[in-house]
Amino acid sequence: MINTKDVHQQFSEFFHEDKIKPYAYLVSKRMQDGHICIDADEVTENLSTLPYTKAIPPAQLPKLTELVTTDSTTIRPFVLHKNKLYFQRYFSYETRILEAIGYLLKEEKKSFDIRKAALEKHRDLLLDFKATFEIQGLPKEEQTDWQMVAIIQSVLHNFSIITGGPGTGKTTTVAKILALLFAMDANCNVALAAPTGKAAMRMAESLKNAELPVNDTIKDKLKSLSPNTIHRLLKYIPDSVNFKFNKSNPLPFDVVIVDEASMIDVALFAKLLDAIGPNTRIILLGDKNQLASVEAGSLFGDLCRATEKPNVFTQDSLKFINEFIPESGRKMNHEAIAKAAHPLSGHLVELQKSHRFNSTGGIGKFSRAIINNDTQALLEFATSTTDASVTLEPIENSNVFETFIDGYQDYILESDISKALQKFNQLRVLCAVREGPQGLYGINRAIENYLFKKNLLVPTGEFYENRPIIITQNNPDLKLFNGDIGILRKDHQGNMRAWFEDSGKVIRSVMPGYIANAETVFAMTVHKSQGSEYAEVLLMLPHHYGEKILTRELLYTAVTRAKEKVVVQTTPDLLLQTAAAQVKRTSGIIHRFEEIK
C-alpha cells in the first residue's frame, strides 16, 4: 500500500499550500489503490467533495492547467498527459519505461540478421527442444509449440515477455533459451532475478532440474547460475531509493531474465529497465492473470495487454518461425499476424498448455473458471464433493482448519533442518487480509495455540523453538531479503538460531536477535505467497463482504499456489462476488506506445 505521507513529501513546498491540497489529496488517494494516475475528468467531478475544499471554495481554487506540465522536463507538481493526471515522479517512471523499451527495440535491429543466422546454425538443437504436447480436443498436427516460438523470439529480440499460467513451462522455456544461447556463445554472461528471495530460489531449482538434450558443459553452466532478488542484482544502496547499477552504469550482462515480473511495481520496473544496456537482452516472465504489485502500478499486466492479443507477429517473423516448425507440427497461419503495427508485436508470447493441471477438472478447471468468471462452473465446485483436489468449505468449519494445520507437525518432528524446511514448505495457510478473524495475525495466533495444545510448540517469547518466520524487509548485511523463509531452532550448543536455505540447498543460520523485521509465517498473505508453490493450500476468505481486496486476481493467485490440493473456506456468494471483482489500476502506458519512435 502506498504511504500517502511519503507521496506528499515529493513536492512538500507545493502540497502545504491550501490551493494545492485538494489536487494532491485526490491523486494520493488513487495511488493508495495502486493507480499510477487518475483520469483528469475525475478531478473536476470530485473536487468539490474533498475535505480541503471547505476552506477554499472550488471557484477560488487554481485551474488544473496552472499546476501541471505536459512534459517530463518541466518540474511542476503534476503532469497532465492524454487527459490523465500524474504526480511528476510517476509520470517520469512511466516515461522511462517506455523510453527504455523503445531503445531496446531499436537496438535489437542492429543484431537481427546475425541472430537469425545463429538460429539457423543451431537448428538441430532447437528442434531437439521440440516440446509438442497434446492439447485437449486438438489432433497433433493442429498444435502450436508456443515454447519453441518463445525461444526463437527471445533469442532474436532484446526485449521479450513470456507469460502463461502455472505449469505452462515458463522456466523450462527459459532453460532452453539459455542452453541455446550458451551453445551459440560459451561465454554468454547471464543474470537471473526475481522480486523475492523465494521466487529466485524456485527459479534456480527449476533450472537445475531441467532435463535437456545438451552436453555436460551446458548443463554445468545452467546449474551454476545463481538467481538473485532484483534488489541484489541492481546492488541496493542502503538508506537510498537508488541502485549501483543504473542508466549511466548498466548491468554487465548479455542476458537478464526476470521471473514473477507481475510483482514488480512501477518504480522498480523503471530502475530495472534503466540498468539494461543497449546490447543486453531482457526477458520478463510472469502470469498476467496474477495479482499486480503491492505498490503502485500493474506494469507487467499492462504490457501483456498492450497488443490486440498475445501471440501476434509481423509477417516476416511468422515466416521465419514457420521455418523451424516441422511438417508434423502446426504451422502458424495468417490469424497470428498483427492486424495493426505495434512495437510489441512478436515480443509477447503466451504459453497456453498447463503440464501441471488437467484441463477437464481439479485446480486447472477451477482456476480457469475464476479467470473467466464462469459462474456456473464455480457453483459446481461449491456444491460438489467429487473433486478431491479442490474443496470449498464453510467459513465456520473449524474441523477443516484443524485437519489442515495438523500437517505442520511433520516439519516440527523432523530433526534434519534441511528436510524440516522442505516439509514446512509443503503446505501453507493463505489469508486475503491482515486483520480480523480470518486475517493473517489472528490465524497465525490460532495456529500457534492449536499446536501448543497438541504439545508440538511452546510459543513463549519471540524466539521459540520451531517458529517459522518470513523476512519482511531487505537486510543485505545478513544476506536476508524480503520473502526469505526460515525456522528457529537451537544449534548443537543450545543457542537459538534462525535457519535458512539458499538456492543451492545450502543451509545457513543467523542469530535471531540480529533480525529486525520478520513475522510468523504459518499463515501468510496471498501477496506474499506469489512466486511460491506448495503441495497443499488452505485459503481463508473473510466473513464480511465488501472487502476491496477480494478480487478475481487474488483468488486466482491463491488457488494456483497449490500443486496438488486447495481448500477454500468461503461461502458460494462470497466466492462469486470475489471472482466477479477485478483489479483495475489506471495507467497510461498502453496508450503511450505510439510515442515509441
Side-chain angles (χ1 to χ4, degrees):
M1 186 69 72
I2 303 296
N3 186 315
T4 309
K5 183 179 178 181
D6 289 344
V7 174
H8 278 52
Q9 287 175 350
Q10 295 174 41
F11 287 98
S12 58
E13 69 272 23
F14 292 105
F15 291 165
H16 285 116
E17 297 180 23
D18 287 341
K19 66 179 183 179
I20 302 296
K21 285 181 179 178
Y23 298 100
Y25 178 83
L26 194 59
V27 180
S28 296
K29 288 293 287 182
R30 295 288 286 171
M31 289 181 62
Q32 282 183 297
D33 293 329
H35 302 274
I36 294 175
C37 53
I38 179 174
D39 288 328
D41 295 340
E42 288 188 45
V43 178
T44 305
E45 293 171 6
N46 292 287
L47 206 57
S48 61
T49 67
L50 299 180
Y52 290 118
T53 58
K54 293 179 180 178
I56 306 175
Q60 295 181 23
L61 288 170
K63 293 181 180 180
L64 187 58
T65 51
E66 297 175 25
L67 306 174
V68 305
T69 179
T70 55
D71 61 64
S72 57
T73 56
T74 304
I75 301 299
R76 287 189 183 175
F78 305 103
V79 174
L80 183 63
H81 188 80
K82 294 184 182 295
N83 205 43
K84 286 185 168 53
L85 182 67
Y86 299 77
F87 279 127
Q88 173 74 236
R89 177 181 173 189
Y90 283 85
F91 180 75
S92 174
Y93 286 146
E94 193 175 89
T95 301
R96 283 158 59 184
I97 290 168
L98 279 168
E99 289 177 346
I101 293 173
Y103 186 54
L104 290 169
L105 299 184
K106 180 181 177 181
E107 289 298 310
E108 73 186 21
K109 295 176 183 177
K110 299 176 182 178
S111 306
F112 216 65
D113 290 339
I114 295 173
R115 292 174 181 177
K116 277 188 173 182
L119 276 168
E120 291 280 8
K121 183 179 178 181
H122 292 84
R123 171 185 291 271
D124 290 343
L125 177 57
L126 184 57
L127 294 179
D128 283 343
F129 290 157
K130 184 176 175 292
T132 301
F133 37 74
E134 184 178 351
I135 299 177
Q136 190 70 26
L138 282 180
K140 256 188 176 180
E141 62 272 14
E142 293 185 22
Q143 297 169 17
T144 297
D145 187 347
W146 293 114
Q147 286 190 16
M148 178 177 286
V149 175
I151 294 166
I152 293 171
Q153 296 302 90
S154 297
V155 171
L156 288 176
H157 296 140
N158 276 7
F159 181 80
S160 303
I161 296 173
I162 301 174
T163 186
T168 51
K170 295 186 291 291
T171 311
T172 301
T173 302
V174 165
K176 294 175 181 179
I177 292 169
L178 291 175
L180 188 58
L181 290 173
F182 285 138
M184 293 175 174
D185 179 5
N187 297 315
C188 185
N189 194 7
V190 176
L192 306 177
T196 67
K198 186 63 180 177
M201 188 182 297
R202 267 196 54 233
M203 191 181 189
E205 290 171 356
S206 298
L207 289 174
K208 288 173 182 175
N209 294 331
E211 296 183 4
L212 300 176
V214 293
N215 59 44
D216 289 341
T217 301
I218 293 178
K219 287 180 180 177
D220 290 342
K221 282 182 174 292
L222 287 172
K223 290 179 179 179
S224 67
L225 293 172
S226 180
N228 285 309
T229 63
I230 297 173
H231 283 77
R232 274 183 271 189
L233 174 70
L234 298 178
K235 300 292 185 187
Y236 169 74
I237 300 174
D239 303 318
S240 169
V241 296
N242 299 314
F243 296 91
K244 175 183 175 182
F245 291 108
N246 49 46
K247 195 165 188 176
S248 59
N249 183 33
L251 289 161
F253 298 102
D254 300 308
V255 183
V256 174
I257 299 175
V258 183
D259 199 6
E260 299 293 345
S262 63
M263 299 169 65
I264 309 174
D265 63 78
V266 63
L268 187 57
F269 224 111
K271 292 167 187 176
L272 171 65
L273 290 183
D274 275 348
I276 302 299
N279 299 312
T280 298
R281 294 177 177 91
I282 181 168
I283 302 170
L284 302 173
L285 309 175
D287 184 342
K288 63 183 174 66
N289 294 317
Q290 275 192 190
L291 278 169
S293 62
V294 176
E295 302 295 326
S298 53
L299 266 296
F300 185 79
D302 288 346
L303 292 174
C304 288
R305 286 181 277 272
T307 58
E308 57 183 289
K309 60 181 180 179
N311 301 338
V312 292
F313 309 89
T314 64
Q315 193 158 5
D316 288 343
S317 291
L318 198 68
K319 181 180 178 182
F320 185 73
I321 292 168
N322 277 336
E323 291 176 8
F324 290 88
I325 296 177
E327 292 303 318
S328 60
R330 184 190 181 191
K331 300 284 186 179
M332 307 275 281
N333 59 31
H334 66 278
E335 294 178 359
I337 298 176
K339 293 179 181 177
H342 192 283
L344 291 185
S345 293
H347 294 75
L348 165 63
V349 178
E350 181 176 18
L351 307 180
Q352 298 181 343
K353 165 67 177 178
S354 176
H355 300 266
R356 182 187 307 161
F357 300 131
N358 189 307
S359 61
T360 59
I363 297 172
K365 182 179 179 181
F366 187 45
S367 62
R368 226 178 6 264
I370 293 168
I371 285 301
N372 295 329
N373 191 24
D374 186 336
T375 302
Q376 182 177 347
L378 290 170
L379 284 175
E380 287 176 6
F381 277 104
T383 57
S384 173
T385 58
T386 59
D387 196 325
S389 60
V390 178
T391 304
L392 274 65
E393 294 286 351
I395 293 172
E396 62 274 6
N397 192 336
S398 60
N399 290 333
V400 171
F401 175 70
E402 292 175 356
T403 299
F404 187 87
I405 62 178
D406 275 336
Y408 280 130
Q409 68 179 322
D410 289 349
Y411 93 87
I412 294 172
L413 300 176
E414 174 58 63
S415 59
D416 183 284
I417 187 63
S418 179
K419 292 179 180 178
L421 281 163
Q422 292 172 22
K423 289 182 177 180
F424 176 71
N425 286 317
Q426 284 296 298
L427 69 162
R428 192 73 81 249
V429 179
L430 300 182
C431 300
V433 294
R434 287 183 170 269
E435 306 290 348
Q438 284 76 44
L440 175 72
Y441 304 124
I443 294 300
N444 269 316
R445 285 192 297 270
I447 295 173
E448 286 178 325
N449 291 336
Y450 178 80
L451 295 175
F452 170 67
K453 291 176 182 178
K454 301 263 293 186
N455 296 317
L456 292 168
L457 288 181
V458 183
T460 56
E462 185 178 2
F463 306 130
Y464 63 84
E465 187 85 3
N466 283 312
R467 180 194 176 201
I469 60 172
I470 183 170
I471 302 301
T472 58
Q473 186 171 316
N474 295 329
N475 190 330
D477 292 336
L478 294 178
K479 295 183 179 178
L480 293 176
F481 294 85
N482 191 2
D484 289 352
I485 287 177
I487 296 174
L488 297 184
R489 276 195 182 176
K490 292 178 181 177
D491 61 18
H492 295 303
Q493 287 75 42
N495 299 314
M496 190 64 75
R497 310 281 295 187
W499 302 86
F500 298 87
E501 186 176 71
D502 66 16
S503 59
K505 301 287 186 182
V506 176
I507 299 294
R508 65 187 186 89
S509 66
V510 177
M511 290 288 289
Y514 293 152
I515 302 173
N517 299 282
E519 295 179 347
T520 301
V521 71
F522 288 112
M524 66 197 305
T525 62
V526 178
H527 275 94
K528 282 288 188 182
S529 75
Q530 286 183 266
S532 299
E533 292 177 349
Y534 311 99
E536 299 184 13
V537 162
L538 169 62
L539 171 63
M540 308 191 75
L541 296 182
H543 278 158
H544 49 286
Y545 295 8
E547 286 283 353
K548 286 199 300 183
I549 199 170
L550 296 184
T551 63
R552 182 182 309 175
E553 291 81 2
L554 179 135
L555 184 57
Y556 170 84
T557 300
V559 165
T560 54
R561 296 313 89 206
K563 294 187 289 185
E564 299 172 11
K565 182 176 181 179
V566 61
V567 181
V568 184
Q569 285 202 287
T570 185
T571 65
D573 286 347
L574 183 57
L575 176 72
L576 296 182
Q577 176 185 306
T578 302
Q582 283 187 276
V583 174
K584 294 182 179 179
R585 292 185 168 184
T586 306
S587 79
I589 200 161
I590 291 178
H591 305 290
R592 294 183 63 192
F593 268 95
E594 63 190 46
E595 298 171 28
I596 293 180
K597 305 300 182 184

